[in-house]
Amino acid sequence: MAPPNVTFEFVDHPTEEAKEVFAGVMKHDPVAKCLTGGDLNLIPLLGLTFLRALLLSPGVSHMFTARDDTGALVGFTVFTLPGQLMLSTQEQRENAKLSEFASQLSEAGREFYAETMDKLIPKANDKAFGIEDSERNTYWCNFAMVRSDYQGKGVAKALFGLAFKEADKLGATVALTTTNEINVPIYEKIGFQQPDEKVTYMSPWTEWYLWFFKRSPSGSKSATEVITQARV
């Protein structure tokens, strides 16, 4: 059970303060160097770029937050709706100010995104989940972040509990990947299944791994109905 001083909420407006929680968690993630092209100072900008893409374009995502009794953000999750995909539209890229982040990446960093993030990862996801264009055709978890002093206290479970209810309304599979092994037992306890073994990748900076998790819906809508409704 989550701490009694924490309030959980479904929000329909962006909160840039989430980048601070993102940065605090991601600095310990094995893939952080890869996502920042070897420059860990870019972690806050990385988080802000992705959050802008998802939260400033209406109808793209759902956000769930956890706040303590002072109003401070202690955790959050962000999911793209079925039929949506992060940074897939010009509006999202402009809202994200993607060029600002890309201009600060090293050449090796830009190559990593072009080859690994844009090509290899989507193929690995589709294979693991058995769903074509899986990031677009599921209730995809882009972010699940809990501040270090609130980890292990049920905050993540409560946040995902809210998301599961929304996914069930849509009849959508919840899917995500993690690059940090410490998250594997957490997602299993929350109710996810691993449909495939981990995948290993090499980069100019480090070796890293990708684990896959999904949770089937309890609703009755078909995938076609979900995607059609999300695009209307």
Side-chain angles (χ1 to χ4, degrees):
M1 183 177 294
N5 69 317
V6 176
T7 300
F8 298 90
E9 184 181 13
F10 174 98
V11 299
D12 57 3
H13 55 278
T15 170
E16 288 195 0
E17 65 187 310
K19 73 175 184 179
E20 302 301 335
V21 177
F22 172 90
V25 174
M26 278 302 298
K27 67 181 180 181
H28 301 295
D29 195 295
V31 81
K33 285 187 176 180
C34 305
L35 295 175
T36 58
D39 184 359
L40 293 179
N41 291 321
L42 291 179
I43 289 179
L45 181 58
L46 168 71
L48 183 57
T49 300
F50 289 166
L51 287 165
R52 284 169 174 165
L54 293 167
L55 301 174
L56 295 181
S57 299
V60 171
S61 67
H62 284 166
M63 183 177 192
F64 305 88
T65 61
R67 295 181 181 276
D68 66 15
D69 47 10
T70 71
L73 187 70
V74 300
F76 70 94
T77 54
V78 180
F79 298 77
T80 39
L81 297 168
Q84 300 293 333
L85 182 67
M86 184 171 67
L87 292 171
S88 62
T89 66
Q90 184 63 27
E91 179 186 26
Q92 286 190 55
R93 291 189 288 271
E94 290 178 356
N95 286 340
K97 299 181 181 179
L98 181 60
S99 59
E100 178 184 345
F101 174 69
S103 67
Q104 297 192 47
L105 281 175
S106 63
E107 182 177 352
R110 289 190 291 271
E111 291 177 355
F112 173 82
Y113 273 91
E115 182 61 28
T116 306
M117 298 300 292
D118 295 344
K119 297 178 182 179
L120 297 181
I121 299 299
K123 289 181 180 179
N125 290 340
D126 292 356
K127 179 182 177 182
F129 296 118
I131 300 173
E132 184 178 358
D133 200 6
S134 55
E135 288 188 49
R136 190 188 295 273
N137 292 328
T138 60
Y139 194 62
W140 184 267
C141 181
N142 295 270
F143 297 109
M145 304 287 175
V146 177
R147 216 171 65 188
S148 60
D149 54 333
Y150 276 85
Q151 291 176 8
K153 298 181 179 181
V155 173
K157 182 177 182 180
L159 287 168
F160 274 101
L162 293 176
F164 290 164
K165 291 180 181 178
E166 294 299 319
D168 288 346
K169 291 178 186 177
L170 295 170
T173 293
V174 182
L176 61 84
T177 60
T178 184
T179 54
N180 198 331
E181 188 172 11
I182 66 172
N183 293 329
V184 172
I186 296 173
Y187 289 131
E188 290 175 338
K189 289 179 181 178
I190 286 174
F192 283 95
Q193 295 180 324
Q194 287 195 71
D196 207 347
E197 296 294 327
K198 69 181 180 182
V199 175
T200 306
Y201 292 98
M202 292 299 299
S203 76
W205 309 280
T206 184
E207 179 182 60
W208 57 284
Y209 307 96
L210 193 66
W211 288 266
F212 307 88
F213 292 91
K214 72 175 183 179
R215 184 251 189 197
S216 299
S218 61
S220 59
K221 292 182 181 179
S222 69
T224 300
E225 289 176 314
V226 171
I227 294 168
T228 299
Q229 291 179 10
R231 286 174 173 168
V232 171

